[in-house]
Amino acid sequence: MSWFVATAYASEAAHGAAEAHGAKHETSLHVINFVQLIARLIGGSTGELFEKYQNMIFGVIVIAILGFIFHAASRNAQLKPGRLQSACEAVVEALNGFVSGILGPQGKKYTPFLGTLFLYIWTMNLIGLLPLMKSNTANSITLPGSVPLPIPTTTVALALIVFVYVQCIGIKNQGIVGYLDHMAGTPRDVFGWVMVPIMLPIHLIGELAKPFSLTFRLFCNIMGGHILVAVFIGMAIGAAFIPFQAPFLIFEIATSTIQAFVFTLLSTVYIAMMLPHEHAEEHGAESHTHEQAASATVLAGKH
Amino acid sequence: MENSHIIKEIIVQIVGFMVVFFVLKKLAWGKLMGAIDARRKSIDDSFSDIEKQKKNLENLEKDYRGRLENIEQEARVKIQEASNIGLALAKDIQEKARVDAQKMIDRAKAEIDQDLAKVKINMRNDIATLSALISEKIIHEKLDATMHQKLVDEFIKEIEKV
């Protein structure tokens, strides 16, 4: 642990020195990870390459962890499960129940996507809490300019995937005409058609705002938590290595879980809003689903 | 340079997610959900089997109860029948015994009558013979057979009157 703290301190010191020279950095404040450490030990162009592609390395690590766990759990899937299979089944079943609870029985086909989304984000969030590891969800590349703009590549990628997936579901379920009708605010009378020039941009902006909202909510929450931990690690170094960051690590576990959940919840709600609701007898259930979706959106907004 | 790196990284992250998605779709939502569904089906089947067996047992119990009731009734009927048969048999036997006894009595009476008649004849003959002998001795004369028979018959008639 002392090595971890020392490296964190080294990272911050390097960050401070870099800022003093006006140099550009990927993140504003974070603890050092093992790829950066290797890069600094190797040095030269190879070291730079390591540093440059560290996000991909951590992405591969997350994929490997998830792949390994679920491969081990499902390799000999038994009717009477072992501990790992039970744990994985509990997660899978909970996610399935969660998605089906919002989308109804038809939600089962969206569970693999939404469940994977949750597990991927959750693992990425949590892995950053381990010493010498990094959360890709808290990662950003800053674009140079008069106002430096951080681009959180991982959360952007995830939000883009959700955006494209949701639009595809909308077009697939409603048809291209139905989709455009939905985007135009479902005009059925003269007033509706008059409102189309207003409703269409509003819907377009609404749809385009969703990936931005997803991207920055996840990125900012996770990055904020990691900065908090990094600051308290810095304080610990200055206070005879008393681990001040420990309570915040526990807090971060909760935050990581909640943010992964919120991202998944919002994605589920976006899918629910794109699903058709045409049958009269299903109207009650649909309105119930939309009420749930609306309350879920409010809840997610609070987080 | 930075822009192209950002785009490359976003593409790689998208590819990474797709890899995770396909891996988990196969492992987590394929095999594990399959295992869960199989278990659920197995439990459902077990419960339905139990329900079916319970129903079968109830039917069997009902059937056996019915059979027991029938058996008791049948037993009662059979005992009654046996009792009736027994009574009829006893009556038959009694009747037969009575008839047999009556026959035996009749036969005995007939035999007695026959014997009595035979004895009577013998006795008459003996008395006749004896009386002839006595008479011969008394009167010292010999009676012929016809005379002798006539005397005997008269004597017997007198005895019978007495």
Side-chain angles (χ1 to χ4, degrees), chain A residues 86-98:
Chain A
S86 293
C88 289
E89 278 182 4
V91 173
V92 166
E93 186 72 356
L95 286 167
N96 192 37
F98 165 71

Side-chain angles (χ1 to χ4, degrees), chain A residues 59 63 120 161, chain B residues 10-21:
Chain A
I63 293 168
Y120 190 53
I161 290 167
Chain B
I10 289 171
I11 291 167
V12 169
Q13 295 287 4
I14 289 171
V15 172
F17 177 79
M18 299 309 277
V19 170
V20 177
F21 173 63

Side-chain angles (χ1 to χ4, degrees), chain A residues 23 25 32 39 45 50 52 61 73-74 85 102 113 124 130 137 153 160 179 187 202 230 242 262-263 295 301:
Chain A
H25 259 265
I32 196 166
S45 59
F50 260 86
K52 191 176 177 182
I61 289 170
S74 63
Q85 192 187 334
I102 295 174
F113 175 78
M124 277 196 294
L130 298 172
T137 40
T153 51
L160 277 175
Y179 175 76
I202 287 174
I242 298 166
V262 166
F263 196 100
S295 59

Side-chain angles (χ1 to χ4, degrees), chain A residues 168-231:
Chain A
C168 287
I169 287 171
I171 293 168
K172 190 183 167 190
N173 283 295
Q174 302 176 40
I176 189 76
V177 178
Y179 175 76
L180 290 173
D181 180 59
H182 172 75
M183 293 302 277
T186 324
R188 292 288 175 269
D189 49 13
V190 179
F191 182 71
W193 284 105
V194 169
M195 292 298 284
V196 167
I198 300 168
M199 296 303 283
L200 188 63
I202 287 174
H203 273 100
L204 280 174
I205 292 167
E207 287 303 315
L208 291 170
K210 285 172 186 173
F212 281 98
S213 133
L214 287 176
T215 300
F216 289 104
R217 181 184 295 107
L218 180 60
F219 166 67
C220 294
N221 277 295
I222 300 302
M223 188 194 67
H226 285 227
I227 288 174
L228 192 71
V229 172
V231 167

